Amino acid sequence: MKKTRILITVVLIVAGLLIGNWIYGNILSKKIENQLERQIELVFEGAEVTFDKVNVNPLFSKLEFYGLQIVSDDGVELFSSTEAKLGMPYSEAMRLLKSKNFEEVKTFSIHLFDSAVFIEGVDDKLLVDDLYFSFKGHLTKQDLEQLNDKFPDQKQAVKVDAKGLSFADTPWMDALGFTSEQINRFNKIDKLTADLRFNPDKQIIQLNDVLLHSPLATYTSVGELSYEGEGLEKMKVTHSSSSIELKLNDKGIEWGDPETNGKYSLDNLYVKMDGDVSYEDSLPQIHSQSTQLLLENLSVEYAGAKKAELEAQTALLGLKMDKLTVKKLAISSKIENDLLVISQGELLSSLMNAELEAKIKIDERHHKASQIEKATLIVSELAPGIENALTTFELMTMQSLPRKGKSIVLEMSGDVTRPTIKGLRY
């Protein structure tokens, strides 16, 4: 019996809290609605602010706006959102709404649904299906005013998570010759995330979990930067590390018009770069760096007057400009202990094929003093116009380029600015 009374008491207390929260929230909703209209109109200089409904949940420190719309005095919709959820204590929200000038901002989050933001520079709207933004920290007006001379004392963190981004209108894509299907692929980002963190105690800035995924490509990156000195003007980077990866999605890309700017197509692109660099007297010292690049089946087609114009410009080489292709471009390189090693450099194209392997000792302070320990460049399958140009060069210099069979083979060493090439005087 005693347990039953306790249970009933708890239920009544919870019910009372929920009912009180609902009543108090309704009272606060009207206050915030009036205050918000006035404050936004001040920010946007007379813009009209409308929304269908405001909900306040004091118990969980949440404000919800429905049907929010901001329209300029000349009728341009500056912003709209079907639903906006603001995670912030009521007292903090009212403080910001009542203040005429920005004084400080504390931890908060905002979640927007089906939003549209007018971008003045391109006279277009950015549409976002789902956007979550959070800020953890404490920034004052003084912190921002003194940013050139002094960084904030507290840790700061910003997180962005967006889904379904696109532009409402894309006249510039139409002008470049994109088809409707191509515009749908180019003009869409399925997901965009970023996590930026600032730690003044450790003097570190981190950019984590950067992701951009679209029907066209996927990009990811992470990075960390260490610094010394106070404020932007005296800040000196002491160390940085980063990793980026970009890959084209399965279908490849195609765009353009052969009679205007050219018709382009690309089947595959992959780029991966990792680096670790320290800085002394603002000069970089590379501890390690690696690069992988793979490009496959890139082609450019020209027709009509554009083709004739380009062929006139390259008349001395006798090149046909109806279609230029790069079947493959591959590069694999690594820098470690001031030694650049290019283990794979390969080009297969309609103009020529080429292979490159090299070892170069890098002088970090004086790049022109870097030395080629060993490098071999093999060039073959030259287009007739380029082959004729090289033959003319050989006649004019009265020497032949080093060859093995039909391939030109350049074995190099010495200064990077003027290397010694085996079998060639210049």
Side-chain angles (χ1 to χ4, degrees), residues 230-301:
E230 274 295 332
L232 293 173
E233 291 187 356
K234 295 182 180 179
M235 173 186 177
K236 291 184 178 179
V237 177
T238 57
H239 180 265
S240 67
S241 60
S242 64
S243 176
I244 68 169
E245 186 176 33
L246 171 68
K247 57 182 178 181
L248 203 63
N249 291 334
D250 293 341
K251 291 184 179 180
I253 55 175
E254 184 179 287
W255 74 98
D257 184 339
E259 295 190 358
T260 54
N261 297 311
K263 181 180 178 181
Y264 297 80
S265 66
L266 176 62
D267 284 353
N268 185 37
L269 174 65
Y270 177 78
V271 181
K272 191 176 190 322
M273 299 179 69
D274 300 282
D276 187 82
V277 182
S278 62
Y279 299 83
E280 184 177 340
D281 297 329
S282 300
L283 295 173
Q285 293 183 322
I286 301 173
H287 300 295
S288 64
Q289 196 273 336
S290 62
T291 299
Q292 287 181 287
L293 167 67
L294 176 62
L295 179 150
E296 293 178 304
N297 296 328
L298 169 66
S299 68
V300 188
E301 297 179 47

Side-chain angles (χ1 to χ4, degrees), residues 74-201:
D74 56 356
V76 177
E77 185 182 79
L78 303 176
F79 175 81
S80 67
S81 181
T82 59
E83 183 180 353
K85 295 182 178 180
L86 180 63
M88 176 184 290
Y90 167 73
S91 58
E92 178 69 6
M94 288 305 296
R95 182 188 65 78
L96 290 173
L97 289 173
K98 288 180 179 179
S99 60
K100 293 183 179 180
N101 299 308
F102 169 79
E103 295 298 334
E104 64 178 349
V105 62
K106 300 178 182 179
T107 297
F108 75 95
S109 66
I110 186 166
H111 200 167
L112 301 172
F113 299 89
D114 298 325
S115 303
V117 183
F118 180 72
I119 310 297
E120 186 174 358
V122 294
D123 196 26
D124 201 352
K125 287 182 181 179
L126 176 64
L127 308 178
V128 186
D129 293 342
D130 187 320
L131 172 63
Y132 177 81
F133 176 92
S134 70
F135 170 76
K136 290 184 179 179
H138 184 199
L139 279 175
T140 66
K141 180 180 180 181
Q142 187 177 21
D143 286 333
L144 297 177
E145 290 175 344
Q146 296 180 348
L147 204 53
N148 284 335
D149 303 312
K150 184 179 183 300
F151 289 128
D153 296 326
Q154 298 188 32
K155 294 180 182 179
Q156 317 287 339
V158 172
K159 187 173 183 178
V160 177
D161 189 339
K163 300 179 182 71
L165 295 88
S166 63
F167 281 104
D169 300 302
T170 53
W172 56 276
M173 286 188 177
D174 294 327
L176 289 174
F178 287 77
T179 65
S180 297
E181 182 182 354
Q182 292 164 356
I183 290 174
N184 288 335
R185 296 190 69 212
F186 275 77
N187 182 39
K188 187 177 181 182
I189 296 175
D190 297 320
K191 187 175 179 63
L192 174 65
T193 64
D195 187 349
L196 177 65
R197 297 176 181 270
F198 169 73
N199 189 326
D201 298 327

Side-chain angles (χ1 to χ4, degrees), residues 393 397 399 412-413 415-421 424-426:
F393 167 80
T397 59
Q399 60 178 329
M412 297 169 281
S413 61
D415 296 343
V416 292
T417 55
R418 191 175 175 84
T420 299
I421 302 175
L424 187 65
R425 306 180 311 277
Y426 68 99

